[in-house]
Amino acid sequence: PFTIPSRGWGSLWCLRSVASEADPAAACFLSRAQANEWKGWMQVAFVAYHYTNAQDVYVPIRWCVSAYVWLTGFGNGVYFWASADFSAKRFLQQIWRMNFLCALLALATNTAWIDYYFVALATVHFVLIFLCLGATRLLGKYVFRGWPTPDRKLGREACDAEKAVGWLLLVVLTCLLWVPPQLNNMQRNSAPKTPYDYVFQTWLKDINHHTANYFWTRTRMDYLSSIHGLLFAAVYARFRDWWPKASLALRAPCYAVASALFAVAVYVAKMPKYCCNSGADYRSVNAYVDTLWIPLYLLLRNSTPWLMHRVSAPMEWIGMHSLEFYLLQFHVFLTRKSQMILYIIPKESWAYTNMIIVGFIYVCLCVKALELTNVVRGVVWRCTRLKVGLCAAWCVTFYAIFEGYFKDTSHPCDGASWGVWWAFAVVAAAFLCAWTFLDLKA
């Protein structure tokens, strides 16, 4: 009961200034440091929610998940409209960052990828934004030659026309995929064919019905969030520069509109139709009210220069590791897909001691997991295409062999299974050592 308040008070004593001599402009409305701090607060809420199974705060937690998707739209919009970096390298780096640890955990623990639904949400919305804004940049390059090319070094952003077309493309594509048809309980088993079926449903069903249904349910609940984030990214530069100079009289309409949106979200969430059944009925309207709280939060968070120029260092640090904190909570801080709590000392009276011990291990593993993700990505990026192709072929081939073997075996943890696993591990290690030796020799 005291975990979040105690961390909150502790974080207030660890505030740091965002601005520095090297980059005084870093202290601005919704700076990168502030976005990381925001992620940190929400990640602490996620872990506390799962640890305590606090179903009575389901709606606020859903809002936080939607805020992450909102940040996906906002962050990628700001980046692409400032840099026009639609290279394969940028795409693969982002896919790697979001899915590397998730893929390892899914394979090692036999957990479906979609069960880490935040990774699925972030990946899907990133790909949609990449395609829509990339297509718009191609239009600007080959059709509308009057559109200036964004250049981060020159401080030149995409023009308003390019931003508008890119945003509209995302709206159209998103609505084509997720708006039709209106289904009871958001299930698609008996739905007519729509673009969603051709893009997602057909191959997801080939995996299993759980993946197909759960993917639809999760993505449908937040399908509009990145659109709102991308819309704010379109006007962000102007708003960021205007906000510090605006008087209270000019800010008042912003506060009024943001308060009204927040009131609408609270009103809908508190309606008898949606506030019961552990959020089952609320899920059908979440997509339309989930981000209405964000404007008020951002305005209050940046209401004074003192607040705008400072962030909580612990929460910012957690936000920088938010993906690792999210993924590893299910396997370290909790067990059995967050259904049970991990105990090192098997005594109920030592609950808080267990929480501290396991929490320390959990934090250390999150740090090392991010380091592993970045180090392995750096190694892959320095390798030749031949090596990357051979490694990919190795992984796919032998994963398929393992999958076929374990699917038919009576017990996946018997002696023969371990023998097969060790045989392939020794071969892989031998190839890795030989490869490293040859590189050093060259």
Side-chain angles (χ1 to χ4, degrees), residues 29-30 34 232 239 242-243 250-259 261 293-304 307-308:
F29 191 100
L30 193 51
Q34 196 179 115
F232 183 63
F239 189 86
W242 171 82
W243 181 255
L250 292 175
R251 291 184 180 185
C254 297
Y255 286 116
V257 173
S259 300
L261 292 175
W293 69 281
I294 293 177
L296 183 61
Y297 165 79
L298 293 178
L299 295 182
L300 293 177
R301 178 63 183 81
N302 295 273
S303 57
T304 68
L307 287 172
M308 190 186 304

Side-chain angles (χ1 to χ4, degrees), residues 112-404:
W113 172 74
I114 188 57
D115 287 342
Y116 307 105
Y117 60 87
F118 169 72
V119 175
L121 288 172
T123 302
V124 168
H125 286 272
F126 165 74
V127 172
L128 292 178
I129 292 169
F130 185 91
L131 293 176
C132 292
L133 301 192
T136 308
R137 180 84 292 272
L138 289 177
L139 286 176
K141 185 176 181 180
Y142 296 107
V143 180
F144 303 103
R145 299 181 182 273
W147 290 358
T149 302
D151 192 316
R152 185 182 290 272
K153 294 181 179 179
L154 299 177
R156 184 173 61 221
E157 284 195 338
C159 63
D160 292 339
E162 180 174 342
K163 292 180 179 179
V165 173
W167 182 78
L168 287 174
L169 274 179
L170 181 63
V171 172
V172 171
L173 183 57
T174 301
C175 291
L176 282 175
L177 289 173
W178 281 285
V179 170
Q182 298 296 328
L183 303 173
N184 293 327
N185 300 320
M186 298 190 296
Q187 298 300 314
R188 299 188 51 82
N189 295 332
S190 59
K193 288 286 186 180
T194 67
Y196 178 92
D197 293 276
Y198 297 104
V199 177
F200 296 115
Q201 190 76 355
T202 302
W203 62 272
L204 288 173
K205 278 187 175 180
D206 291 339
I207 300 174
N208 54 58
H209 286 285
H210 165 71
T211 299
N213 291 333
Y214 199 54
F215 185 88
W216 164 259
T217 301
R218 284 297 180 181
T219 55
R220 183 65 170 76
M221 277 195 288
D222 295 290
Y223 78 102
L224 295 175
S225 300
S226 65
I227 292 176
H228 301 153
L230 190 65
L231 180 62
F232 183 63
V235 300
Y236 171 68
R238 291 190 180 94
F239 189 86
R240 177 196 61 202
D241 298 335
W242 171 82
W243 181 255
K245 305 172 186 177
S247 63
L248 183 60
L250 292 175
R251 291 184 180 185
C254 297
Y255 286 116
V257 173
S259 300
L261 292 175
F262 178 72
V264 170
V266 173
Y267 174 78
V268 173
K270 289 294 183 180
M271 292 176 65
K273 182 179 180 181
Y274 302 123
C275 68
C276 305
N277 298 328
S278 300
D281 294 325
Y282 170 78
R283 293 175 189 138
S284 61
V285 298
N286 179 74
Y288 309 107
V289 299
D290 54 0
T291 59
L292 296 183
W293 69 281
I294 293 177
L296 183 61
Y297 165 79
L298 293 178
L299 295 182
L300 293 177
R301 178 63 183 81
N302 295 273
S303 57
T304 68
W306 190 89
L307 287 172
M308 190 186 304
H309 294 176
R310 287 167 178 80
V311 295
S312 168
M315 292 300 110
E316 180 192 7
W317 182 84
I318 292 175
M320 294 168 63
H321 300 76
S322 60
L323 180 60
E324 288 70 30
F325 272 90
Y326 170 79
L327 292 172
L328 291 177
Q329 67 174 305
F330 302 113
H331 304 290
V332 180
F333 210 47
L334 306 166
T335 59
R336 296 188 181 180
K337 300 181 180 180
S338 75
Q339 295 178 1
M340 301 185 72
I341 296 173
L342 177 62
Y343 268 62
I344 300 296
I345 304 174
K347 288 186 178 181
E348 187 68 27
S349 58
W350 289 66
Y352 290 115
T353 305
N354 271 293
M355 184 176 68
I356 293 172
I357 295 174
V358 176
F360 176 76
I361 298 172
Y362 169 54
V363 172
C364 292
L365 288 176
C366 289
V367 175
K368 297 306 293 182
L370 177 59
E371 181 182 337
L372 173 66
T373 301
N374 293 332
V375 168
V376 175
R377 183 179 66 181
V379 171
V380 172
W381 239 249
R382 290 192 296 270
C383 289
T384 62
R385 293 180 180 178
L386 174 61
K387 291 182 179 180
V388 174
L390 289 175
C391 289
W394 169 273
C395 293
V396 172
T397 301
F398 287 102
Y399 174 73
I401 294 174
F402 273 126
E403 176 68 15

Side-chain angles (χ1 to χ4, degrees), residues 4 41-50 52 54-68 117 218 222 282 286 290 293 326:
I4 293 182
W41 284 113
M42 293 190 294
Q43 191 56 53
V44 170
F46 293 154
V47 175
Y49 168 76
H50 288 125
T52 60
Q55 295 296 324
D56 53 329
V57 294
Y58 173 81
V59 172
I61 293 299
R62 283 299 326 154
W63 289 359
C64 289
V65 173
S66 302
Y68 264 90
Y117 60 87
R218 284 297 180 181
D222 295 290
Y282 170 78
N286 179 74
D290 54 0
W293 69 281
Y326 170 79

